[in-house]
C-alpha cells in the first residue's frame, strides 16, 4: 500500500502536468481562456493524453526506463514554462477543497485507503492473466512487434490504456511487475461525482446515483486490481454524461464551458482505449458540427487535427500488431503485409466474443441451433446474474420513462440520449455481456430516477449516498476475499502468500510452464501467462514462425491461404 500511495501520487502529478498543458492549448484555441476545469478532469485528460507520446515511443524503443524518462521530461518542461499559472491553478483547487466540507474530505480519505487496499491484493482478473499482463510485458521489453497478434489474437486488442499501464509499470526499476492504475481512475471519478451544495436537485441525484453505480462490488473487485479497459470506458462515459448535463442545466455552451475540453477530447481518446465504444463519437461529432455552424473553420481544422494526432498512433500500432487498421474487424488487407492476421482468425475471434457474451462459454454448436430470440432468452435466464438482470430490466423501463418526462430535461441533451440509446442497441446486438453495457445501462437508470425521485434535502441525500457507497466499498473488500478463496479452491489462481501487502502489492499468481521442443513460445498449465517469460501464449498457434532472428522481428503464419 505504501508503494502504491507513492506511485499513485506520482501518476496524478505527472498526469496533471500533461492535462493542464493540453487544456490550456485547447481553451486558447476555443477562445475560452477563462475556463476553470475540474482537477479530476484535468488529471484524467492528462492521463489519456500521455498515451499518445507513449504510443509513439513504442515505434522506437521499449516502454522502460528511457521512454519513461522522456515522458517525465515532457511533463517537467510543461511545468517549467507554465509554473506560475500552474501554481495559481493549484491554489484555486486547494481553496475549493477547503470549502468542500468535512464529509466530502473524510469520504475521499476513506476512498483512497479503500483503493490502496484493493489495489494491493491479488489480481482475480482472468483477462489480466490471459493477455493484459503479457501484452504490457511485451511493450516493456520490445518496441512494437510486427504480427504479435499471430502469437495470440488478444495481443491485437491494442488498447492505449495498456500502453499507459506499461509506462507506469516500473518493473524496470523495482524488478516486480505492477499494472495498478485503475485505482486512480476510481478516485478521480469519485471526486467529480461527489454532489455539491451548489448542484440542482436533478444534478444531485445524477451525481449521487453515478457515484453509487461506479462502486458496484461485482465490477470493482475484478477491474480495480487490473488495467481493464472496460473500467475506463464505463467511468469516462459516466463523467461525460454528468459534464454535459451540468453545462446544459447552467445554460452554458458545450464548447465554451469550464469542462469543454474534456467533452471534446475524452470520447476520441476512448476509441483508442476500446474500439467497441464507437457510439460515443456522437458527442464530439455534435460539437464539431456546432463549430462548423459558427463558421469557425480554423478552430474546426485544429480540432480535427488534434483528433488525428490522438488516433493516428493507435491506428499505426494496429497495423504493426495485426496488419489491419482496426482489429478485430476484418477490413480489406490494404497493406498486403506478410504478418497480417488471417481473416479466418479475425472472424473466429469476433464470433467467440459474441457467443461467450450469451453463454459465458464458447458453445458454437448451441448458438447455431438456437434462434435469434432463443439466444436472448438463454442469455437472460442462464448467463446474467440477478443484480445485472435487475439493472437491465430497470434500464429497459427507464427508456420510456425518460421519454415521457423528456420536457423536464435541460435543453440540448438529445445527443446524450442518442448516445445512450444507440449504445444500448449496439451492446445488445454485438456482445451483451453486462460489463460491456454498464456505460449505457447505469446512466439510463439514474437519469430516470433523477426525473421521478421525490425532493429530498441535500444533506440527507448526501449522507445516504456516502453511506451507500462506503457499504459497497466494504462489500467489494468482502467479495474479493471470498472470491480469492473460491478461485484458489477451484484452481483458477494459485495462492500467493504476501504478508507485507501494506508495503507492496501482492505479486501475480505463479505459473507452471510447458515447453514443447521446437515451439516458438511456451504455454502454461492454466492457459494464463501472468508474468511468465516471453513469448507465452495460452495455446500454441499452428504454423507460427518468427519473421527474423529475434522476437523483435515479429511473427507470422506459414500458411497464408486463409488471408
Amino acid at each position: 500500500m505504501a508503494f502504491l500511495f507513492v506511485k499513485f501520487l506520482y501518476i496524478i502529478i505527472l498526469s496533471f502536468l500533461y492535462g493542464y498543458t493540453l487544456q490550456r492549448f485547447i481553451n486558447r484555441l476555443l477562445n475560452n481562456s477563462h475556463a476553470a476545469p475540474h482537477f479530476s478532469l484535468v488529471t484524467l485528460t492528462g492521463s489519456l493524453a500521455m498515451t499518445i507520446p507513449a504510443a509513439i515511443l513504442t515505434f522506437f524503443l521499449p516502454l522502460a526506463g528511457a521512454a519513461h524518462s522522456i515522458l517525465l521530461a515532457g511533463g517537467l518542461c510543461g511545468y517549467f514554462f507554465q509554473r506560475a499559472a500552474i501554481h495559481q491553478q493549484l491554489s484555486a483547487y486547494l481553496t475549493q477543497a477547503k470549502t468542500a466540507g468535512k464529509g466530502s474530505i473524510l469520504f475521499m480519505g476513506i476512498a483512497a485507503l479503500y483503493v490502496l487496499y484493493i489495489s494491493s491484493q491479488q489480481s482475480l482478473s482472468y483477462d489480466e492473466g490471459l493477455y493484459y499482463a503479457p501484452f504490457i510485458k511485451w511493450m516493456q521489453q520490445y518496441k512494437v512487434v510486427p504480427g504479435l497478434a499471430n502469437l495470440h489474437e488478444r495481443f491485437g486488442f491494442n488498447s492505449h490504456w495498456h500502453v499507459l499501464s506499461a509506462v507506469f509499470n516500473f518493473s524496470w526499476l523495482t524488478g516486480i511487475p505492477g499494472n495498478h492504475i485503475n485505482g486512480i481512475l476510481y478516485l478521480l471519478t469519485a471526486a467529480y461525482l461527489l454532489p455539491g451544495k451548489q448542484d440542482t436537485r436533478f444534478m444531485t441525484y445524477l451525481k449521487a446515483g453515478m457515484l453509487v453505480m461506479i462502486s458496484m462490488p461485482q465490477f470493482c473487485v475484478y477491474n480495480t486490481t487490473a488495467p481493464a479497459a472496460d473500467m475506463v470506458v464505463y467511468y469516462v462515459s459516466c463523467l461525460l454524461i454528468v459534464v454535459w448535463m451540468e453545462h446544459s442545466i447552467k445554460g452554458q455552451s458545450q464548447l465554451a464551458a469550464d469542462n469543454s475540453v474534456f467533452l471534446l477530447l475524452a470520447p476520441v481518446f476512448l476509441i483508442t482505449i476500446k474500439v467497441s465504444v464507437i457510439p460515443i463519437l456522437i458527442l464530439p461529432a455534435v460539437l464539431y458540427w456546432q463549430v462548423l455552424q459558427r463558421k469557425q473553420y480554423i478552430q474546426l481544422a485544429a480540432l480535427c487535427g488534434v483528433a488525428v494526432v490522438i488516433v493516428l498512433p493507435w491506428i499505426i500500432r494496429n497495423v504493426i500488431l495485426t496488419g489491419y487498421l482496426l482489429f478485430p474487424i476484418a477490413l480489406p488487407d490494404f497493406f498486403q503485409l506478410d504478418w497480417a492476421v488471417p481473416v479466418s482468425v479475425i472472424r473466429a475471434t469476433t464470433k467467440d466474443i459474441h457467443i461467450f457474451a450469451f453463454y459465458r462459454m464458447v458453445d458454437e454448436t448451441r448458438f447455431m441451433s438456437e434462434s435469434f430470440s432463443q439466444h436472448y432468452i438463454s442469455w437472460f435466464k442462464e448467463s446474467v446474474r440477478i443484480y445485472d438482470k435487475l439493472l437491465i430490466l430497470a434500464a429497459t423501463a427507464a427508456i420510456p420513462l425518460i421519454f415521457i418526462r423528456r420536457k423536464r430535461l435541460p435543453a440540448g441533451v438529445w445527443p446524450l440520449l442518442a448516445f445512450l440509446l444507440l449504445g444500448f442497441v449496439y451492446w445488445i446486438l454485438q456482445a451483451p455481456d453486462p460489463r460491456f453495457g454498464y456505460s449505457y445501462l447505469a446512466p439510463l437508470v439514474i437519469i430516470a430516477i433523477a426525473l421521478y425521485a421525490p425532493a429530498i434535502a441535500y444533506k440527507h441525500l448526501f449522507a445516504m449516498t456516502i453511506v451507500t457507497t462506503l457499504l459497497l466499498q466494504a462489500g467489494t473488500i468482502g467479495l474479493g476475499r471470498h472470491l480469492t478463496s473460491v478461485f484458489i479452491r477451484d484452481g483458477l489462481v494459485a495462492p500467493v502468500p504476501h504478508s507485507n501487502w501494506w508495503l507492496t502489492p501482492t505479486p501475480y499468481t505463479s505459473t507452471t510452464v510447458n515447453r514443447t521442443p521446437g515451439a516458438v513460445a511456451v504455454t502454461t498449465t492454466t492457459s494464463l501467462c501472468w508474468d511468465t517469460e516471453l513469448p507465452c501464449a495460452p495455446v500454441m498457434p499452428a504454423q507460427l514462425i518468427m519473421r527474423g532472428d529475434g522476437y523483435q522481428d515479429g511473427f507470422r503464419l506459414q500458411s497464408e491461404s486463409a488471408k
Side-chain angles (χ1 to χ4, degrees):
M1 285 179 63
F3 174 78
L4 286 180
F5 174 78
V6 176
K7 175 179 175 176
F8 285 3
L9 186 60
Y10 172 73
I11 295 174
I12 289 173
I13 293 172
L14 189 57
S15 297
F16 177 80
L17 294 177
Y18 272 87
Y20 182 85
T21 301
L22 182 59
Q23 291 265 355
R24 198 173 186 187
F25 170 74
I26 300 296
N27 278 325
R28 285 181 176 177
L29 182 67
L30 298 173
N31 298 318
N32 191 24
S33 58
H34 297 293
H38 194 278
F39 175 82
S40 290
L41 301 186
V42 175
T43 305
L44 183 55
T45 302
S47 295
L48 297 173
M50 218 183 309
T51 65
I52 307 309
I56 294 173
L57 287 173
T58 63
F59 303 144
F60 308 102
L61 70 165
L63 289 179
H68 189 93
S69 298
I70 294 172
L71 292 171
L72 175 59
L76 293 177
C77 286
Y79 170 75
F80 179 79
F81 290 109
Q82 305 172 104
R83 57 188 182 277
I86 289 175
H87 292 166
Q88 183 178 4
Q89 185 64 66
L90 289 175
S91 178
Y93 287 142
L94 288 174
T95 301
Q96 293 175 5
K98 291 177 181 178
T99 60
K102 295 180 180 180
S104 297
I105 295 174
L106 179 61
F107 169 78
M108 288 307 302
I110 296 174
L113 292 174
Y114 154 76
V115 162
L116 290 171
Y117 176 80
I118 286 292
S119 298
S120 66
Q121 303 306 302
Q122 181 175 356
S123 176
L124 300 176
S125 172
Y126 181 88
D127 283 345
E128 183 165 19
L130 185 66
Y131 73 101
Y132 293 173
F135 183 55
I136 291 168
K137 191 172 183 177
W138 273 104
M139 285 186 283
Q140 288 192 292
Q141 296 189 9
Y142 301 94
K143 62 182 182 179
V144 61
V145 176
L148 185 60
N150 286 311
L151 175 63
H152 181 29
E153 68 277 1
R154 296 297 178 102
F155 292 159
F157 292 177
N158 173 33
S159 174
H160 272 191
W161 196 247
H162 295 155
V163 173
L164 188 69
S165 299
V167 170
F168 293 112
N169 183 283
F170 292 132
S171 63
W172 53 271
L173 181 65
T174 64
I176 301 174
N179 299 310
H180 310 86
I181 60 172
N182 279 18
I184 296 174
L185 178 65
Y186 179 86
L187 288 176
L188 294 175
T189 305
Y192 190 83
L193 294 179
L194 269 176
K197 295 180 180 179
Q198 73 283 358
D199 291 323
T200 63
R201 170 190 167 278
F202 179 86
M203 284 307 305
T204 300
Y205 268 106
L206 185 62
K207 286 184 175 182
M210 293 290 196
L211 180 59
V212 169
M213 293 303 291
I214 68 165
S215 304
M216 296 183 293
Q218 78 277 10
F219 183 81
C220 292
V221 74
Y222 294 109
N223 293 284
T224 307
T225 57
D230 294 322
M231 191 172 189
V232 189
V233 172
Y234 177 31
Y235 284 17
V236 173
S237 296
C238 290
L239 288 172
L240 286 167
I241 290 167
V242 172
V243 171
W244 193 292
M245 285 288 190
E246 276 189 318
H247 292 175
S248 298
I249 287 176
K250 294 177 181 178
Q252 297 175 327
S253 166
Q254 302 293 355
L255 289 168
D258 287 342
N259 297 308
S260 295
V261 173
F262 183 76
L263 288 180
L264 281 165
L265 300 185
V268 184
F269 279 119
L270 280 189
I271 297 300
T272 69
I273 302 298
K274 192 167 186 177
V275 69
S276 61
V277 74
I278 198 165
I280 199 76
L281 291 183
I282 290 176
L283 302 183
V286 170
L287 298 181
Y288 286 18
W289 175 252
Q290 291 176 1
V291 176
L292 180 62
Q293 285 182 314
R294 296 179 182 181
K295 298 182 179 180
Q296 296 174 324
Y297 302 120
I298 296 178
Q299 286 87 341
L300 179 61
L303 289 173
C304 290
V306 171
V308 170
V309 170
I310 292 172
V311 174
L312 188 58
W314 173 71
I315 291 178
I316 296 175
R317 280 179 51 84
N318 285 342
V319 174
I320 297 175
L321 290 168
T322 70
Y324 299 92
L325 294 173
L326 300 176
F327 187 88
I329 299 175
L331 292 174
D333 190 355
F334 292 116
F335 307 102
Q336 298 295 313
L337 299 170
D338 71 294
W339 66 74
V341 177
V343 173
S344 59
V345 174
I346 297 177
R347 290 173 178 167
T349 301
T350 55
K351 182 185 290 186
D352 287 351
I353 294 172
H354 185 65
I355 296 174
F356 185 86
F358 284 95
Y359 305 128
R360 309 302 298 173
M361 65 177 64
V362 181
D363 190 344
E364 186 174 357
T365 302
R366 179 182 178 184
F367 185 81
M368 297 303 295
S369 66
E370 291 185 344
S371 65
F372 181 82
S373 58
Q374 286 176 323
H375 292 162
Y376 287 94
I377 293 173
S378 300
W379 162 72
F380 193 79
K381 289 176 61 177
E382 302 172 14
S383 302
V384 181
R385 297 177 177 86
I386 182 63
Y387 44 79
D388 286 329
K389 283 186 172 72
L390 296 175
L391 182 59
I392 293 168
L393 291 174
T396 304
I399 295 174
L401 292 175
I402 293 173
F403 178 79
I404 292 171
R405 293 201 172 179
R406 63 191 182 279
K407 293 183 179 180
R408 296 191 180 186
L409 289 169
V413 300
W414 67 265
L416 283 184
L417 299 182
F419 155 61
L420 291 174
L421 292 176
L422 180 62
F424 183 84
V425 173
Y426 182 82
W427 164 71
I428 283 288
L429 295 178
Q430 291 298 312
D433 189 318
R435 63 195 169 104
F436 301 154
Y438 286 147
S439 302
Y440 319 114
L441 299 172
L444 284 170
V445 172
I446 300 306
I447 291 173
I449 291 174
L451 289 173
Y452 285 87
I456 300 178
Y458 167 79
K459 64 179 182 179
H460 295 149
L461 183 58
F462 180 84
M464 292 167 55
T465 302
I466 296 300
V467 170
T468 303
T469 305
L470 292 177
L471 288 175
L472 291 178
Q473 292 174 359
T476 302
I477 294 174
L479 181 61
R481 290 180 173 178
H482 169 71
L483 289 176
T484 299
S485 62
V486 171
F487 283 17
I488 291 174
R489 182 194 65 198
D490 294 343
L492 299 176
V493 297
V496 184
H498 189 61
S499 58
N500 61 333
W501 57 265
W502 55 272
L503 186 61
T504 58
T506 304
Y508 287 130
T509 185
S510 58
T511 54
T512 302
V513 175
N514 295 324
R515 299 182 185 275
T516 303
V520 175
V522 301
T523 60
T524 66
T525 55
T526 61
S527 297
L528 301 180
C529 291
W530 296 104
D531 190 40
T532 305
E533 63 186 275
L534 300 180
C536 177
V539 179
M540 188 60 59
Q543 299 176 318
L544 178 75
I545 61 173
M546 293 169 54
R547 296 180 63 249
D549 297 330
Y551 299 141
Q552 180 57 62
D553 297 320
F555 305 89
R556 65 180 179 90
L557 299 182
Q558 282 182 309
S559 174
E560 299 184 0
S561 60
K563 286 180 59 176

